[in-house]
Amino acid sequence: KRLAPTGEIGEPLVGSMRQDVAAAASTASPPQSNEPKVVGSGSGFFVTSAGHVLTNSHVVEKCGLIRVRSSDGSTNPVRVLTRIERDDLALLKGEIKPGATAAFRSGPPIRQGDAVLIYGFPLAGALASAGNLTTGNVVAMAGIRDDTRLIQISAPIQPGNSGGPVVDSSGNVIAIVVGKLDALKVAGDMPQNVNFAIKSSVAINLLETRGIGYEVAVSERERSAADIAERVRAFTVKVECLR
């Protein structure tokens, strides 16, 4: 049983988007100058008005430089404040004043069957550069081998979605995309659309350990998918890895 591109669950969540980096590197033209080239990308989102960004650790692993690109196309350099390979989370910081920041869900916990939406930047260069929204449900409250750091979701994800926000029907963050099960035989069958995300409680623990404030909001009002897309697009960014 493997996650693509995240690696085994139950072990440290290491290396997820390496697949993206490798794919980008293998198709890129040979460098013609000493200028850094984009060799891979993932997604992330602003958690403070001071420019803190959450993403996956594997998205920024082995990057020489990192920058974030907003839906409007603007780019800003960021640096890694901390990487937690076991939980596959990274906290970035740039001299940025984001137009919006994410709020983590407060109040009643999510339940199996709850609706979820994902925003991110999958398959860079092939799909819409302004970002993509997918929808689904919470399938299970744990990951492979009952890993309680994760939830399983039915919203489709692709390379490039890693690190992006998973939000509830109010637009509040409940998890961070991390990967999907490889198309390998499991119990004699081929798994399809088996996707996982890191629970927001794991990310909140990281922020609190670093002494970084964050916003929470009670999920009371159900919004349309279009309204949520507009809201989430404002705080979600493409994270570009350069070497």
Side-chain angles (χ1 to χ4, degrees):
K1 301 176 183 178
R2 294 189 303 179
L3 283 184
T6 48
E8 291 283 353
I9 295 300
E11 301 298 326
L13 297 180
V14 180
S16 307
M17 199 48 73
R18 286 194 189 113
Q19 191 177 60
D20 286 350
V21 174
S26 65
T27 57
S29 300
Q32 301 299 314
S33 70
N34 292 326
E35 291 294 317
K37 304 294 183 182
V38 176
V39 295
S41 65
S43 302
F45 56 100
F46 288 111
V47 292
T48 74
S49 58
H52 292 90
V53 175
L54 268 176
T55 187
N56 287 151
S57 172
H58 68 261
V59 170
V60 296
E61 184 181 19
K62 299 181 180 179
C63 298
L65 298 170
I66 307 166
R67 69 187 179 198
V68 296
R69 183 182 297 271
S70 300
S71 295
D72 63 6
S74 62
T75 60
N76 289 278
V78 293
R79 65 186 188 278
V80 177
L81 290 185
T82 187
R83 287 178 57 229
I84 309 297
E85 289 190 354
R86 173 170 175 76
D87 294 329
D88 205 352
L89 289 174
L91 183 64
L92 315 178
K93 175 69 167 65
E95 301 305 314
I96 315 166
K97 295 296 182 184
T101 57
F104 292 97
R105 177 185 173 117
S106 179
I110 59 169
R111 300 181 301 166
Q112 189 176 34
D114 279 351
V116 297
L117 302 93
I118 293 173
Y119 201 89
F121 298 86
L123 301 174
L127 302 182
S129 60
N132 285 256
L133 179 80
T134 58
T135 62
N137 299 89
V138 176
V139 175
M141 298 303 298
I144 296 175
R145 295 192 289 273
D146 287 329
D147 191 328
T148 57
R149 293 172 295 173
L150 306 179
I151 58 172
Q152 182 182 336
I153 55 178
S154 63
I157 64 172
Q158 308 296 337
N161 274 124
S162 282
V166 181
V167 302
D168 63 15
S169 57
S170 292
N172 297 323
V173 175
I174 61 167
I176 299 94
V177 175
V178 69
K180 61 183 179 180
L181 198 64
D182 265 336
L184 297 177
K185 277 195 174 183
V186 178
D189 198 3
M190 300 290 286
Q192 298 180 17
N193 199 33
V194 181
N195 311 308
F196 299 96
I198 305 163
K199 292 177 180 176
S200 59
S201 57
V202 181
I204 287 172
N205 182 64
L206 168 61
L207 296 175
E208 291 181 344
T209 299
R210 297 284 305 192
I212 294 169
Y214 54 89
E215 184 179 346
V216 297
V218 177
S219 295
E220 296 178 320
R221 175 188 170 193
E222 186 169 329
R223 302 171 185 265
S224 70
D227 286 343
I228 292 174
E230 185 174 341
R231 179 178 181 177
V232 179
R233 181 170 57 243
F235 60 70
T236 305
V237 294
K238 181 181 179 184
V239 180
E240 297 180 330
C241 177
L242 296 89
R243 286 202 296 262

